[in-house]
Amino acid sequence: MHTVAVLALDRVIPFDLSTPIEVFSRSRLPDGRPGYQVRVCAEREEIDAGAFAVRAPWGLAGLDGADTIIVPGVAEPAAPLSPAVRDALRAAAADGTRIASVCVGTFPLAATGLLDGLRATTHWRAAALLAATYPAVDVDPDVLYVDNGQFLTSAGAAAGLDLCLHMIRRDYGSAVAADAARLSVMPLEREGGQAQFIVHDHVPTPQGCEWETLLAWLRENLARDLTLADIAERAGTSTRTLIRRFRDQTGTTPLQWLHRARVRQAQHLLETTAHSVERIGHQVGFASPTTFRDRFKRTTGVSPQTYRRTFA
């Protein structure tokens, strides 16, 4: 039987804590046997969970010998990680234990250094903070989860359920995972990533970015057929210098930033207007409906029609 240890840290988010407990505890193999033994572990006997306290039956020693460790999110994700927890997670990783995080549980996992050099995700609202706090981690805010093999991370709370089902499928195959999904009244594969849930008034810009004036101009001119040369001319620099300095400041290229800004505006129009998809694509600067649909799906993971049905 596969043993899953769920680590309850101080100020643990109850939803994040309960999701893996419920999903793995209720998972059954084709012959009816349980697929997992679940342990709830904590550094102390009683843990603050906000509205109530959690009394964990296992201490940190319960992480020893587990096949999988789950790190749920906490109310203060940037809070320092205790040395005892850090050392326990590092020791488990050295033994080859699979370690996964739910939502902002990526923060304490990143604090161990185990995610350095790896791609990871977290709740989209916390992605910028994760990237700033742990610059060695390659943060992807657009996906529901990331599987690096031994280390896995998930986005917002519900994405923890997606990740648990993914791990069940890895352990026991699609049939067992599909049964677990039905018990959770959840599709085994959700369409799109968390990019479809991200809401910005505009594409985020780092504070103090030297291109703030240029970015404001780009936002005001989304509908124009802008080329890289047009943007460089507006910035008063060469295209080569623009690309290099723009990437240094924003982490992306001018045209990629522009495409993303157009998609964000399209999301707003799909939510708040009855305009046709073709009209919205034209309003935000895409040359053809096909180009708009392709770019929108590549950015959000879903088609404009699916996005509108979900969020309008």
Side-chain angles (χ1 to χ4, degrees), residues 3-311:
T3 299
V4 174
V6 183
L7 178 60
L9 300 174
D10 199 40
R11 303 295 306 281
V12 66
I13 297 172
F15 190 98
D16 294 1
L17 176 68
S18 62
T19 294
I21 294 172
E22 285 296 299
V23 174
F24 288 113
S25 295
R26 294 178 181 275
S27 179
R28 292 293 181 268
L29 303 183
D31 61 5
R33 290 181 297 116
Y36 299 89
Q37 177 192 49
V38 178
R39 304 172 181 170
V40 179
C41 308
E43 186 175 9
R44 301 189 309 277
E45 184 176 344
E46 186 170 292
I47 293 294
D48 179 11
F52 55 87
V54 173
R55 296 182 65 85
W58 294 80
L60 294 181
L63 303 179
D64 297 340
D67 300 289
T68 297
I69 295 173
I70 309 289
V71 184
V74 290
E76 298 176 13
L81 187 65
S82 82
V85 172
R86 180 196 61 212
D87 293 346
L89 289 174
R90 285 179 174 172
D95 288 339
T97 303
R98 180 173 66 185
I99 305 178
S101 64
V102 176
C103 195
V104 291
T106 305
F107 281 78
L109 182 54
T112 65
L114 295 172
L115 296 180
D116 287 0
L118 298 178
R119 182 166 159 259
T121 193
T122 188
H123 192 288
W124 63 268
R125 281 190 181 273
L129 178 61
L130 180 66
T133 308
Y134 302 104
V137 180
D138 179 12
V139 180
D140 185 343
D142 292 340
V143 295
L144 293 175
Y145 59 83
V146 174
D147 182 351
N148 287 298
Q150 184 180 7
F151 304 113
L152 304 91
T153 54
S154 67
L161 182 51
D162 294 285
L163 180 59
C164 290
L165 294 173
H166 171 71
M167 288 190 284
I168 293 172
R169 183 168 51 190
R170 268 184 47 176
D171 296 336
Y172 292 114
S174 295
V176 175
D179 183 61
R182 282 192 293 272
L183 285 173
S184 301
V185 196
M186 177 80 179
L188 185 55
E189 289 281 358
R190 272 203 290 168
E191 187 176 12
Q194 70 166 333
Q196 61 187 301
F197 303 103
I198 299 174
V199 177
H200 295 301
D201 292 333
H202 52 76
V203 179
T205 305
Q207 288 186 344
C209 173
E210 67 178 281
W211 300 112
E212 285 181 359
T213 301
L214 176 65
L215 298 182
W217 178 80
L218 288 173
R219 283 193 291 268
E220 294 169 0
N221 291 273
L222 294 179
R224 289 180 55 186
D225 183 18
L226 295 172
T227 66
L228 189 60
D230 294 330
I231 300 172
E233 182 180 358
R234 178 71 185 187
T237 187
S238 68
T239 55
R240 178 176 295 182
T241 300
L242 172 69
I243 292 172
R244 176 176 55 80
R245 292 169 60 190
F246 197 96
R247 185 183 289 278
D248 288 343
Q249 288 285 314
T250 68
T252 188
T253 68
L255 291 180
Q256 288 172 333
W257 191 97
L258 181 62
H259 288 321
R260 212 170 257 272
R262 286 170 168 163
V263 169
R264 297 289 183 241
Q265 179 64 14
Q267 287 177 294
H268 173 71
L269 294 173
L270 286 165
E271 293 174 25
T272 59
T273 74
H275 298 170
S276 69
V277 169
E278 291 75 13
R279 178 178 174 182
I280 289 174
H282 178 73
Q283 283 178 280
V284 299
F286 288 98
S288 73
T290 300
T291 302
F292 170 52
R293 289 187 176 93
D294 179 66
R295 176 64 64 174
F296 190 95
K297 187 164 187 178
R298 274 194 284 163
T299 301
T300 68
V302 295
S303 68
Q305 292 90 339
T306 299
Y307 184 89
R308 169 169 271 168
R309 285 197 302 270
T310 304
F311 295 104

